Amino acid sequence: MADPQSEDEVAALVALLDVETIEPDLYRGPRYPRGRGRVFGGQVIGQALVAGARSASPSQQAHSLHAYFMRPGDEDLEIDYRVLKDFDGRSFATRRIVALQNDAPILTMTASFQRSEAGFEHGAPMPDVPGPDALDPGDKDGGGSPVMAHFLKRFGAFEFRPIPPFGELAPRPQPGPSRLWFRLAGAAPADPAMRSAMLAYLSDFGLLTTAVLPHGVPLFSGKLQAASLDHSLWLHEPPAFDQWILYTMESPWAGGGRGLTRGTFHTQDGRHIASVAQEGLIRPIERS
């Protein structure tokens, strides 16, 4: 059974991702109450997905999103989400969502929603890795990195079981992949749209680290300028969060100050429930 503090963290994440209706097709997302500096990209993705879902039929669930980050968000400000209803069909609905601060776009997203239906089924096989019970909890103190410790405070709603070398402060150069078990630290919300937004939120966690893993340079080393540039997520089914989920990440390419990353999500019983891809800025900082 989850402890009250964990339940509070889950409730806080739900409150963060929920959006308020300001007027038809305009929504407002709350600011992260403990934030300082740049808004976490997963927050904007999750809030934008909820805004899109609010404008679609409850019988249609998000199955894909494609987002571009344009400006860093300011954690001192709330974020407005303008939704454009591009298409409403019997099976699918398509939305464009623009995230705004001070009337300037910080993210644009397209998202597609589908009514549930039956069809052929297959998925990527579950990797052969140690189970979560065989692993130690993740280090919520950031492994000695104050920047990482501050970053990890955003994820109190989740329990982690990293598979080494994930999360190591000074990893040896290796090609990957990188893997992490996680689960919700409390009861999951009943709303499948909110559960999908929670997975979208977490999908921006750790993904870009795989682009620097082959080079042995930690993302929070101070030697890199790093930021998400775009983000795509395919939700093969709304996550239930009733068991551990394995997040597998890899980087097939890097160059030109950018790194391409991709990942899969599997439930502990082997279902492939989501896929993700992201390109990020990984520009080395030249010291004078």
Side-chain angles (χ1 to χ4, degrees):
M1 177 179 288
D3 62 75
Q5 183 176 353
S6 296
E7 293 286 2
D8 289 346
E9 290 284 359
V10 174
L13 178 58
V14 171
L16 176 66
L17 296 178
D18 204 0
V19 294
E20 174 191 3
T21 302
I22 303 302
E23 60 185 56
D25 302 326
L26 180 65
Y27 304 85
R28 180 161 296 158
R31 59 181 292 274
Y32 175 60
R34 291 175 285 185
R36 63 171 192 254
R38 189 170 68 182
V39 177
F40 170 55
Q43 174 187 327
V44 190
I45 294 169
Q47 289 179 343
L49 188 61
V50 172
R54 292 281 190 271
S55 74
S57 167
S59 65
Q60 294 171 317
Q61 295 299 319
H63 72 89
S64 68
L65 65 85
H66 306 279
Y68 281 92
F69 296 96
M70 292 175 291
R71 296 176 176 86
D74 184 347
E75 290 199 305
D76 288 334
L77 303 173
E78 297 170 322
I79 305 173
D80 288 339
Y81 295 89
R82 175 67 68 183
V83 177
L84 292 87
K85 298 177 179 177
D86 286 343
F87 176 73
D88 280 297
R90 288 191 301 175
S91 297
F92 291 89
T94 305
R95 299 290 185 261
R96 275 181 293 158
I97 305 104
V98 181
L100 301 150
Q101 282 189 327
N102 292 325
D103 295 323
I106 63 172
L107 171 139
T108 59
M109 174 191 289
T110 56
S112 183
F113 303 81
Q114 181 190 15
R115 295 183 189 275
S116 178
E117 59 183 279
F120 296 117
E121 293 186 8
H122 70 268
M126 177 77 162
D128 183 13
V129 297
D133 293 338
L135 299 164
D136 293 329
D139 182 0
K140 294 198 174 185
D141 293 327
S145 168
V147 177
M148 176 62 90
H150 173 68
F151 183 70
L152 286 173
K153 288 180 181 178
R154 302 175 186 275
F155 300 98
F158 298 94
E159 296 179 50
F160 295 116
R161 295 290 187 275
I163 299 177
F166 187 95
E168 291 182 0
L169 190 61
R172 292 187 300 253
Q174 54 187 300
S178 184
R179 295 187 172 104
L180 171 76
W181 288 101
F182 69 92
R183 68 180 176 186
L184 206 59
D191 182 5
M194 181 56 69
R195 297 198 306 270
S196 293
M198 295 169 91
L199 188 67
Y201 176 87
L202 190 72
S203 69
D204 194 30
F205 172 69
L207 191 54
L208 195 54
T209 64
T210 60
V212 293
L213 189 61
H215 309 282
V217 180
L219 201 64
F220 294 102
S221 63
K223 299 178 181 179
L224 296 168
Q225 181 184 0
S228 303
L229 297 174
D230 60 32
H231 193 94
S232 295
L233 178 67
W234 295 265
L235 292 147
H236 311 316
E237 61 180 82
F241 289 115
D242 58 346
Q243 55 183 289
W244 288 95
I245 296 173
L246 178 67
Y247 190 6
T248 300
M249 297 157 267
E250 62 179 350
S251 176
W253 174 89
R258 306 186 315 279
L260 176 65
T261 57
R262 60 193 180 196
T264 56
F265 294 88
H266 286 85
T267 57
Q268 196 170 358
D269 61 9
R271 296 195 323 278
H272 180 187
I273 63 168
S275 303
V276 65
Q278 182 184 93
E279 191 174 50
L281 179 70
I282 48 168
R283 180 183 291 150
I285 297 175
E286 296 182 6
R287 304 291 184 184
S288 57

